[in-house]
Amino acid sequence: MPRSAREIGLVLLLIGLGLIILFSSLSKNETGFFSETFNKIVEPLYSSTFFINNKIKGLFHSYLFLVGLNKENQLLKEENSRLRMENATLLEKANENERLRKFVGLKTILDHPSLLAQVIGMDASGVYRTVIINRGLDDGISPNMPVVVAEGVIGKTLVVSEGMSQVGLITDPSVSIDSRIDRTRDRGVLVGYSSNACVLKYLNRKASVIKGDRVITSGLDGIFPKGLLVGIVESIQLGPQGLFLEAIVQPSANFYEMEEVLVVLVKQGGFHIEPGLDAKK
Amino acid sequence: MTQILFLSITGLIALTVQSSTIFKIIPNEIKPDLALILIAWSTGRIKFSIGVCFSFCYGLCLDMMSGAPLGLIGLLYLFTYVFFGYIDSFLEVTGVGRIYFTIFLACVFVYTALHISRGLLGEMNFGVSQLYWVLIKSISTATFSWLIFKLLDRSWSEYSRIVGTT
């Protein structure tokens, strides 16, 4: 509890500073000096937790599992342990290869250049559905670039700093994608709905959408390339005013399992905006 | 200086644990808000001017790591710290029940404000599902708070013994 005038003054000063920072940051996605410095401090921490995470998972999936299977070979325990450790490493590498092979396949499908990135962190507050990847401005990433995995669209880059970027997942209400129903070609806008579902809004009332229909990107929002799988329709309902249909969509990508993602290096609108172009317009 | 160092170390650990992918299978609403518990703990134990600046700066760090508009969580944590200070000044927050209750209230305040701000920015509507989310998060945070208070008390006493408090 502030007791002296100095303490009250400090609180008021911080409130004023906070309001200035808040209102100046509302309209832009760029990182400033403070963000850059902070990101430089936390990046090694993220990388180390990512490393520990992989080690724990590798041991859990391989080593501990194999311990249960080889109980009868007590006499060969020491030798087995060494082999299991080797096996654990190889299994982890095999899994990684399998995942990366999918990305190679995906890269050949995409017309645009793309960059592989690792997921190193998640939203710290829990309110915003975002993840942090280990690629940033230095790697050619800028805000509003599509992020995909082999199973489908993950989201888009939001705030980008030198060595890391924040990716808004498609389940976050602030991320929207112009999408189509693959079978009927009906268009709608897909927005985040809950932690594991999206809602496809503004579908034509006469659209014959059914459960199980594939939802793909339309390519008309200037961010996501055309034809990428987003999810599968789970249910259909009439919108709040009864003018449009709404479909609840289950994202095809598993956000809990993803470790590597592919950032499609395409600028918003599909072309590079030259300096001064806005003024000419 | 030693207080700043202690808060910075514990703050960085809490932030890393909270945003690490190790616990990604645990739903967000169940994960306790370690940052909020740390701020509540620092009230009354750390010098006011240090605590209030730490809360604000820590909130700014969370803003950068979460996608929130820069300054929003900073301000919310600042208000939370002052709120805790106010409660602590006439109702000493040491008993288990009091800790649970104040942490629960603070968590409801912070997360309701975050959801409402998203609503004001046109990103989402604050409805019944968001209210459930806030309540579950607040209960989870309050439940873990006493344990983390004990852990922080222990760490603080060990740290003070080795480094000193001034």
Side-chain angles (χ1 to χ4, degrees), chain B residues 40-91:
Chain B
W41 174 85
S42 66
T43 321
R45 291 171 175 86
I46 304 288
K47 201 175 157 192
F48 180 83
S49 55
I50 294 173
V52 81
C53 288
F54 169 76
S55 308
F56 180 70
C57 295
Y58 199 46
L60 286 183
C61 296
L62 272 172
D63 282 324
M64 290 173 209
M65 305 310 296
S66 67
L70 194 63
L72 181 65
I73 303 179
L75 278 172
L76 289 173
Y77 277 4
L78 171 69
F79 292 137
T80 307
Y81 185 84
V82 176
F83 161 79
F84 273 116
Y86 182 70
I87 296 279
D88 196 51
S89 64
F90 67 90
L91 182 83

Side-chain angles (χ1 to χ4, degrees), chain A residues 50 92-108 114-118 135 149-151 259-262:
Chain A
F50 178 75
E92 184 57 27
K93 290 241 183 291
N95 285 338
E96 198 178 338
N97 276 342
E98 187 61 37
R99 290 198 310 269
L100 294 176
R101 198 170 289 132
K102 283 183 193 170
F103 281 109
V104 172
L106 183 66
K107 267 190 155 184
T108 55
S114 51
L115 185 72
L116 193 71
Q118 283 179 325
R135 304 280 190 169
V149 289
E151 288 78 22
E259 287 171 35
E260 290 94 11
V261 294
L262 209 58

Side-chain angles (χ1 to χ4, degrees), chain A residues 216-228:
Chain A
I216 56 167
T217 52
S218 72
L220 296 171
D221 51 21
I223 296 175
F224 293 91
K226 189 180 176 180
L228 294 175

Side-chain angles (χ1 to χ4, degrees), chain B residues 13-127:
Chain B
I13 293 169
L15 193 65
T16 311
V17 169
Q18 211 162 306
S19 57
S20 164
T21 52
I22 295 174
F23 307 106
K24 65 183 173 185
I25 50 163
I26 305 169
N28 273 328
E29 58 266 41
I30 297 172
K31 273 186 221 170
D33 188 342
L34 301 177
L36 198 75
I37 297 172
L38 180 63
I39 285 168
W41 174 85
S42 66
T43 321
R45 291 171 175 86
I46 304 288
K47 201 175 157 192
F48 180 83
S49 55
I50 294 173
V52 81
C53 288
F54 169 76
S55 308
F56 180 70
C57 295
Y58 199 46
L60 286 183
C61 296
L62 272 172
D63 282 324
M64 290 173 209
M65 305 310 296
S66 67
L70 194 63
L72 181 65
I73 303 179
L75 278 172
L76 289 173
Y77 277 4
L78 171 69
F79 292 137
T80 307
Y81 185 84
V82 176
F83 161 79
F84 273 116
Y86 182 70
I87 296 279
D88 196 51
S89 64
F90 67 90
L91 182 83
E92 207 172 304
V93 186
T94 46
V96 183
R98 286 174 184 177
I99 290 171
Y100 283 167
F101 184 66
T102 44
I103 297 265
F104 177 79
L105 275 187
C107 207
V108 168
F109 163 70
V110 168
Y111 283 100
T112 307
L114 273 176
H115 278 99
I116 289 174
S117 72
R118 292 203 84 180
L120 290 173
L121 290 170
E123 292 176 355
M124 66 191 294
N125 297 320
F126 186 69

Side-chain angles (χ1 to χ4, degrees), chain A residues 13-65:
Chain A
L13 182 77
L14 289 174
I15 291 172
L17 187 67
L19 287 172
I20 291 168
I21 294 172
L22 179 62
F23 286 110
S24 62
S25 72
L26 280 176
S27 58
K28 54 183 181 182
N29 279 338
E30 294 157 13
T31 54
F33 170 74
F34 292 113
S35 307
E36 285 295 341
T37 314
F38 177 74
N39 285 342
K40 274 179 187 158
I41 296 168
V42 295
E43 202 183 334
L45 279 171
Y46 274 128
S47 303
S48 52
T49 50
F50 178 75
F51 176 77
I52 294 164
N53 181 19
N54 275 358
K55 285 283 167 203
I56 291 170
K57 205 157 60 177
L59 281 172
F60 186 77
H61 282 306
S62 316
Y63 183 77
L64 295 178
F65 180 62

Side-chain angles (χ1 to χ4, degrees), chain A residues 115-126:
Chain A
L115 185 72
L116 193 71
Q118 283 179 325
V119 178
I120 54 168
M122 296 167 74
D123 161 35
S125 74

Side-chain angles (χ1 to χ4, degrees), chain B residues 118-136:
Chain B
R118 292 203 84 180
L120 290 173
L121 290 170
E123 292 176 355
M124 66 191 294
N125 297 320
F126 186 69
V128 179
S129 59
Q130 280 76 30
L131 192 67
Y132 278 135
W133 192 96
V134 170
L135 286 176
I136 293 168

